[in-house]
Amino acid sequence: MRVAFSRSLSIRTVLGLAIACAINGNLFAQGATAPFSLVDNVEGEYVDTHPVPVRPMVFSANELELWAVNTHGNVVQHYNSTSGAPAATFEVPRGPVSIARWEDPNDPSDPGRLVVACRGTYALVVLRRSTGQVVTLLEQRDGISAEPGDLLVDPLTHTAFLSCAAPDEVLEIDLITNTVVRRFAIPSKHPTFLCWDAVAPSGNHDVLVAPLHSGNNSGARPDSGNPLNTFPGAPTAQAGGNTVVDFTTMGVGGTKLPDQDLFRLVRSSGAVQAVTTGMGTVQFACGVNPATGQVWQLNTEANNKDPMRQGEGAINGDFIRNRVSLATLPAVGLPPNAPTTVVDLDTLSTPPYNPALTVGQPYALAWAPGGFGLLTGLLTDNVTVLDSAGAFVLEWDVTPGSIPRGILYSPTYSIAYVYCWGTNKIEAYWITTGIPLIFTLDLGYDPTPANVRAGRTIFYDAANSLHNNASCASCHVDGRIDMITWDLSHLPFDDKGPM
């Protein structure tokens, strides 16, 4: 099975290189007049070479067992002790990114299942928890869309929901019949993180989905005097004011992302409803707070439309703000709500602010009793705890270079499990005085070459930024782009051109 997947990848990669060469050849022939669509192929299977974990861990019901994906090694690891080594290793298709539990009602003697989303092969695989045996494999020919990401399983209706970034949709999958029964088209870009539209989901609840790229109502000022709209050639002056503007405050129109940051999938009707707006530019994990019922969205807000930051010198390295936005969800059919509270994760301490407490690119979210939220900082290798109102409680650091992409909290044992994608480990911290690291679980084989690992560490390291809050990944999210307009080339500084 794994050989077949490897061959498929190889063929796809070769075809992708051939297409890229053809595009580049055509681009060179057209010279500087070629449209950017020929340069910035930011979607599609030929550039999807970097699967990253989205929901990488799941507990057993009693919190004594843990299953986790090893995205690098294409396996699922099963742990039932604190020894560090997995009790069992299950092979899966390339690029597993999310995992969930399910109980199969048609197999009463051995109902335990694991459902795994595999981005590298556009697949959903169902395994027996007891043995790792493949029960079901759904691929593109079975209706699985390109670039699957997050995964939720409804235990009562035996239904899975799978976000798929390339076609901008979420699939509803019947796990009994192994069929895709519905596709929800998301009117934004790259839907990724999912959560239930309920404080304590118990079945048949609506689903919330956050597009990775929802925008911030900004774009190039839509007039011929804007140098960003002049092609080819570099401008000699900034005519007519700011080059990147807020379309809402300027009262103008143009091409932009819709600035709708969270959508409700209404299961009773199949409708897709925008429920929040103004939450942030790039959206990461979301969740409904169990104590307040408000939705939390981890995000970064771009400074691209700030009138004081137009041009390279004015930006001066201050690209983004790291945030958590809190909002009240509207009833079905009502317009989206703006945030009631925005927590600035760059300024958690009292002035003068301590940059060591910054949460760089807040990525993963877990809940503790009382509505406390645990957030991981992808670029700052740390975990921050906020109370139910969003106030700062405490922060601790994980191992440098961890690039933490997941967190689970065990309320029974007061242990936070942090999934460290950079080091291929899971670090377990006891939530008590001092937050001690009590054990580490080994995720196993990582075939990534040493020089690539070193580059990955630099790419996701905020320590090199002005305020310890940003890195290459802040704009080039997971190696791609943020899909908004920036003025980085305004004279007298150099013209960057297409990247």
Side-chain angles (χ1 to χ4, degrees):
M1 182 181 295
R2 296 189 70 193
V3 172
F5 287 132
S6 297
R7 287 176 180 169
S8 175
L9 173 65
S10 177
I11 292 171
R12 191 166 66 209
T13 302
V14 170
L15 288 174
L17 290 173
I19 291 173
C21 290
I23 290 175
N24 286 336
N26 188 32
L27 179 63
F28 293 145
Q30 297 180 53
T33 61
F36 279 87
S37 60
L38 291 180
V39 181
D40 296 331
N41 179 23
V42 297
E43 296 183 275
E45 59 182 329
Y46 301 115
V47 295
D48 184 35
T49 59
H50 186 52
V52 297
V54 180
R55 191 180 299 266
M57 300 181 289
V58 65
F59 280 135
S60 61
N62 61 9
E63 302 168 21
L64 290 175
E65 297 177 88
L66 176 72
W67 291 268
V69 300
N70 176 351
T71 301
H72 305 303
N74 307 319
V75 297
V76 168
Q77 303 287 25
H78 173 213
Y79 307 91
N80 56 16
S81 71
T82 61
S83 64
T89 299
F90 306 147
E91 293 188 355
V92 293
R94 179 179 174 270
V97 294
S98 292
I99 187 169
R101 285 188 301 116
W102 174 53
E103 306 300 316
D104 187 346
N106 293 331
D107 190 358
S109 63
D110 186 16
R113 300 287 187 267
L114 296 171
V115 185
V116 185
C118 300
R119 186 179 179 107
T121 35
Y122 308 161
L124 188 77
V125 62
V126 180
L127 312 174
R128 293 186 186 275
R129 291 205 300 266
S130 58
T131 64
Q133 175 190 358
V134 175
V135 178
T136 303
L137 175 64
L138 300 178
E139 303 174 275
Q140 278 192 297
R141 61 186 176 185
D142 304 304
I144 301 300
S145 299
E147 301 183 16
D150 205 359
L151 172 68
L152 292 178
V153 170
D154 185 330
L156 293 189
T157 62
H158 309 292
T159 303
F161 292 87
L162 180 66
S163 63
C164 296
D168 302 322
E169 65 183 13
V170 176
L171 308 182
E172 183 178 351
I173 302 166
D174 187 325
L175 294 174
I176 300 297
T177 62
N178 302 315
T179 55
V180 176
V181 296
R182 190 156 48 177
R183 299 173 185 271
F184 295 88
I186 308 302
S188 194
K189 298 307 297 179
H190 302 155
T192 301
F193 287 91
L194 305 174
C195 68
W196 295 113
D197 183 11
V199 170
S202 58
N204 207 29
H205 287 288
D206 291 337
V207 175
L208 302 176
V209 54
L212 186 66
H213 303 291
S214 59
N216 60 353
N217 250 321
S218 68
R221 196 184 73 241
D223 61 72
S224 59
N226 187 347
L228 291 184
N229 294 330
T230 302
F231 190 87
T236 57
Q238 183 167 315
N242 300 334
T243 53
V244 179
V245 297
D246 186 326
F247 284 171
T248 301
T249 59
M250 294 290 291
V252 297
T255 301
K256 61 180 177 64
L257 288 169
D259 196 22
Q260 295 174 336
D261 303 313
L262 193 68
F263 295 87
R264 174 186 283 131
L265 312 184
V266 184
R267 295 171 69 178
S268 61
S269 65
V272 176
Q273 174 195 4
V275 292
T276 66
T277 184
M279 303 290 271
T281 308
V282 178
Q283 311 297 323
F284 299 104
C286 57
V288 174
N289 190 297
T292 67
Q294 282 201 308
V295 67
W296 287 26
Q297 288 190 251
L298 313 189
N299 66 87
T300 57
E301 175 71 355
N303 290 329
N304 65 317
K305 63 183 180 181
D306 187 331
M308 304 305 295
R309 291 182 173 88
Q310 301 290 298
E312 181 183 4
I315 293 172
N316 194 29
D318 192 10
F319 289 97
I320 54 95
R321 308 302 295 177
N322 298 286
R323 318 190 317 174
V324 181
S325 299
L326 286 59
T328 300
L329 290 168
V332 172
L334 294 183
N337 285 336
T340 59
T341 303
V342 176
V343 181
D344 188 339
L345 298 175
D346 296 331
T347 57
L348 287 173
S349 60
T350 55
Y353 300 115
N354 181 3
L357 297 180
T358 293
V359 184
Q361 199 164 99
Y363 186 84
L365 171 66
W367 299 115
F372 290 86
L374 287 72
L375 331 173
T376 66
L378 200 67
L379 313 183
T380 42
D381 294 326
N382 61 347
V383 177
T384 293
V385 180
L386 307 179
D387 70 14
S388 61
F392 175 73
V393 177
L394 60 89
E395 179 268 357
W396 78 87
D397 294 335
V398 297
T399 300
S402 288
I403 316 176
R405 286 191 180 270
I407 186 165
L408 279 183
Y409 181 72
S410 165
T412 304
Y413 302 102
S414 300
I415 297 174
Y417 292 79
V418 182
Y419 184 97
C420 302
W421 179 66
T423 58
N424 223 26
K425 309 283 185 185
I426 298 172
E427 297 184 351
Y429 292 86
W430 190 19
I431 307 304
T432 186
T433 304
I435 316 294
L437 173 61
I438 53 177
F439 58 88
T440 299
L441 304 175
D442 190 351
L443 282 167
Y445 178 59
D446 180 0
T448 309
N451 58 343
V452 176
R453 293 187 205 182
R456 185 169 63 196
T457 299
I458 295 171
F459 187 82
Y460 290 100
D461 186 4
N464 298 317
S465 64
L466 181 64
H467 302 297
N468 192 46
N469 71 336
S471 79
C472 312
S474 297
C475 298
H476 299 277
V477 182
D478 289 329
R480 294 190 175 188
I481 62 173
D482 55 10
M483 303 194 80
I484 58 174
T485 304
W486 288 87
D487 182 356
L488 303 179
S489 306
H490 183 63
L491 296 177
F493 299 92
D494 57 304
D495 182 3
K496 298 295 188 298
M499 295 181 67

